[in-house]
Amino acid sequence: MTIAIGVVMTEHIVAGRLEDQKLAGKLLQYPTDPTIQESLASMPDGELVEVIAGQIETLSKTANGGESSADAIGVAVPGIVRSGVVEESPNLPQIKGMRLADKLTKALEGRGIKAPVYIANDADAIAAGVAATRGRLDKLTRVWTIGNGIGYGRWPYADGVWEGGHITVTLDPKEKYCGCGGAGHLEGIMGYRAMRMRFLDLEPEEVFAHAKQGDGRCREFVDLWHRALAAATASFIHLAGPGRFYFTGKNVGFLELPLLRSHLETMVRMSPLQSFSLEIMQPEPETALLGAGVSALRALEANC
Ligand SMILES: [Zn+2]
């Protein structure tokens, strides 16, 4: 039996134990009260590592009553992650530049746990988790996460940056709401923060509700929001081919698949590329956690 520990670090830290690539037992959460917001962002980086190491220690002990054992440890974090280093981390600025894999490996060694640590981008981990649960680990799986920012994840892992949320979808010079400062970006239209900056008088939820009631300005924006996502998705279809796209994240409720599909159909006209499929998934930490663990096991196999 392979044992992996998966960890997801977003607004909260959630960790779980995988036995033969399936979740086993209860998940651990930090903070234990999920209504507490913002506590991770203000936590020193060393403390964050200790919290994760503590969760991993607890989970690695569960099955055999004391002796710690895990074959691989996977941690999913938002941002740009390469070779175990967090190169960019907009939501947890204190871990930007951190050699997270090395630090966590050391913290675990101090607790008597020797296992390789793999760090994944959170959207990539969701793609891996979806591929694992659907029995599609041999196929290309792509995921858009729609939240404060816009994330793009893919499985199988491919070296690169893959900041799909910052793909340019418009040449309009007035489109400059992206958190990164770049002009014309997808996140500058679809991101929650960007929508609040655009509509200073309405919350994003109100914009979508007013659009449903027929408000012209809101309806126009909701259409732009869907066209932007269609444009980015069409670009990835034109680069890597058709296939399945999943949509998730805490604001996935704004998405109307028929509207997205109708825009996508105007953008993808070459017949070999039209066999794409689109699916909405409700966000669950289990998916990213499972994907982090599965990615860690795959990375381990690749290095053997
Ligand atoms: Zn951007």
Side-chain angles (χ1 to χ4, degrees), residues 163 165-167 177-188:
E163 279 292 329
H166 300 272
I167 200 165
Y177 298 112
C178 192
C180 83
H185 289 189
L186 178 66
E187 187 174 306

Side-chain angles (χ1 to χ4, degrees), residues 45-75:
D45 57 350
E47 268 179 51
L48 269 181
V49 171
E50 282 304 314
V51 167
I52 298 171
Q55 288 182 324
I56 293 168
E57 185 180 18
T58 305
L59 290 164
S60 68
K61 276 179 180 168
T62 308
N64 49 13
E67 194 74 356
S68 292
S69 70
D71 298 301
I73 288 151
V75 182

Side-chain angles (χ1 to χ4, degrees), residues 265-293:
E265 283 169 356
T266 69
M267 296 172 185
V268 180
R269 304 301 295 168
M270 297 177 197
S271 59
L273 303 185
Q274 288 176 326
S275 60
F276 55 81
S277 65
L278 313 171
E279 186 177 330
I280 290 176
M281 277 184 334
Q282 290 316 308
E284 291 168 346
E286 286 87 342
T287 312
L289 189 155
L290 175 68

Side-chain angles (χ1 to χ4, degrees), residues 13 22 28 30 46 52 56 62 90 140 145 158 170 205 214 219 276 288:
I13 301 173
K22 291 202 171 62
L28 298 182
Y30 181 90
I52 298 171
I56 293 168
T62 308
L140 176 62
T145 59
T170 169
E205 289 79 4
R219 189 66 241 170
F276 55 81

Side-chain angles (χ1 to χ4, degrees), residues 39-248:
S39 63
L40 293 190
S42 57
M43 203 172 185
D45 57 350
E47 268 179 51
L48 269 181
V49 171
E50 282 304 314
V51 167
I52 298 171
Q55 288 182 324
I56 293 168
E57 185 180 18
T58 305
L59 290 164
S60 68
K61 276 179 180 168
T62 308
N64 49 13
E67 194 74 356
S68 292
S69 70
D71 298 301
I73 288 151
V75 182
V77 297
I80 301 177
V81 179
R82 299 179 85 174
S83 309
V85 181
V86 182
E87 294 186 349
E88 185 61 71
S89 172
N91 301 323
L92 295 169
Q94 70 272 47
I95 64 168
K96 178 174 174 172
M98 192 192 218
R99 306 184 70 84
L100 183 54
D102 289 350
K103 285 215 168 179
L104 188 54
T105 301
K106 284 210 182 74
L108 289 171
E109 277 171 3
R111 293 164 187 259
I113 301 165
K114 280 204 172 84
V117 173
Y118 179 82
I119 314 295
N121 163 270
D122 63 334
D124 283 340
I126 293 170
V130 175
T133 47
R134 311 275 168 121
R136 289 171 52 91
L137 283 168
D138 58 332
K139 294 206 172 69
L140 176 62
T141 298
R142 290 163 287 188
V143 174
W144 287 109
T145 59
I146 302 167
N148 228 352
I150 305 299
Y152 174 80
R154 50 165 284 150
W155 172 266
Y157 176 78
D159 195 22
V161 178
W162 303 108
E163 279 292 329
H166 300 272
I167 200 165
T168 303
V169 292
T170 169
L171 301 180
D172 183 344
K174 292 194 294 296
E175 286 295 344
K176 51 180 196 293
Y177 298 112
C178 192
C180 83
H185 289 189
L186 178 66
E187 187 174 306
I189 294 173
M190 291 185 72
Y192 196 81
R193 177 181 170 277
M195 288 194 277
R196 294 190 74 183
M197 286 171 68
R198 182 184 304 262
F199 287 90
L200 294 170
D201 56 333
L202 293 174
E203 290 295 330
E205 289 79 4
E206 293 173 310
V207 172
F208 283 83
H210 290 194
K212 280 209 172 79
Q213 291 153 12
D215 178 280
R217 178 179 67 135
C218 294
R219 189 66 241 170
E220 201 177 298
F221 173 74
V222 168
D223 198 60
L224 175 70
W225 191 92
H226 284 82
R227 260 192 299 142
L229 183 57
T233 305
S235 294
F236 283 116
I237 290 174
H238 286 110
L239 292 172
R244 199 165 295 189
F245 288 85
Y246 294 90
F247 302 87
T248 189

